[in-house]
Amino acid sequence: LFQLSAIDEKGCLYTDELRVRVLLNSAIYVPDVFSPNGDGINDIVAPLTDPSITMIQYFEIYSRWGELVYSIKDIVPNQPGIGWDGTMANEKMQPGVFVYRVGAVNKRGRAFEKYGDVTLMR
């Protein structure tokens, strides 16, 4: 709340108030391509968030047939080394397009969901 008071040249007092409400906009980003080929560049895919996100509730990857190929729950955002490495049951998946689903919570307890696809390249 900001208050402003001013006095004009005749001695009249003017006051006004301005209430500012800060909105918290949260963002989740998931790369749309990754290449788990062991070169150390884009070898895993994981959600990246801004600092307002406090918890990733779930991150799931599905094949084009709806088969769950990767799932992780209740992780702190932006941890290095956490994410899908392009395998299922320790077997490399064939290149293709996969669907992801992410659920997250921000500092104010608001839940977010994001859906999209990611391309696995070898």
Side-chain angles (χ1 to χ4, degrees):
L1 179 65
F2 293 93
Q3 287 185 326
L4 178 65
S5 298
I7 299 175
D8 68 12
E9 66 276 354
K10 296 180 184 173
C12 295
L13 175 65
Y14 299 92
T15 61
D16 202 357
E17 293 181 351
L18 176 65
R19 182 174 303 277
V20 177
R21 185 173 160 211
V22 178
L23 299 177
L24 182 64
N25 292 324
S26 299
I28 301 169
Y29 169 74
V30 178
D32 54 6
V33 177
F34 80 117
S35 59
N37 57 11
D39 66 357
I41 301 169
N42 296 324
D43 285 336
I44 62 170
V45 65
L48 303 170
T49 69
D50 67 34
S52 71
I53 300 290
T54 58
M55 178 66 66
I56 301 290
Q57 294 175 310
Y58 56 87
F59 177 51
E60 300 170 340
I61 306 275
Y62 295 87
S63 72
R64 68 174 63 184
W65 301 280
E67 180 180 24
L68 181 65
V69 298
Y70 177 79
S71 177
I72 192 166
K73 296 180 189 271
D74 299 326
I75 61 168
V76 175
N78 306 321
Q79 291 185 56
I82 301 289
W84 185 44
D85 63 359
T87 64
M88 180 178 163
N90 294 323
E91 296 289 325
K92 290 182 179 180
M93 299 293 291
Q94 291 296 316
V97 178
F98 296 81
V99 176
Y100 68 81
R101 185 172 90 113
V102 180
V105 176
N106 72 8
K107 292 178 180 178
R108 294 198 176 152
R110 183 172 171 216
F112 292 87
E113 285 191 314
K114 181 171 178 134
Y115 305 90
D117 60 74
V118 59
T119 302
L120 184 154
M121 299 176 61
R122 294 272 178 210

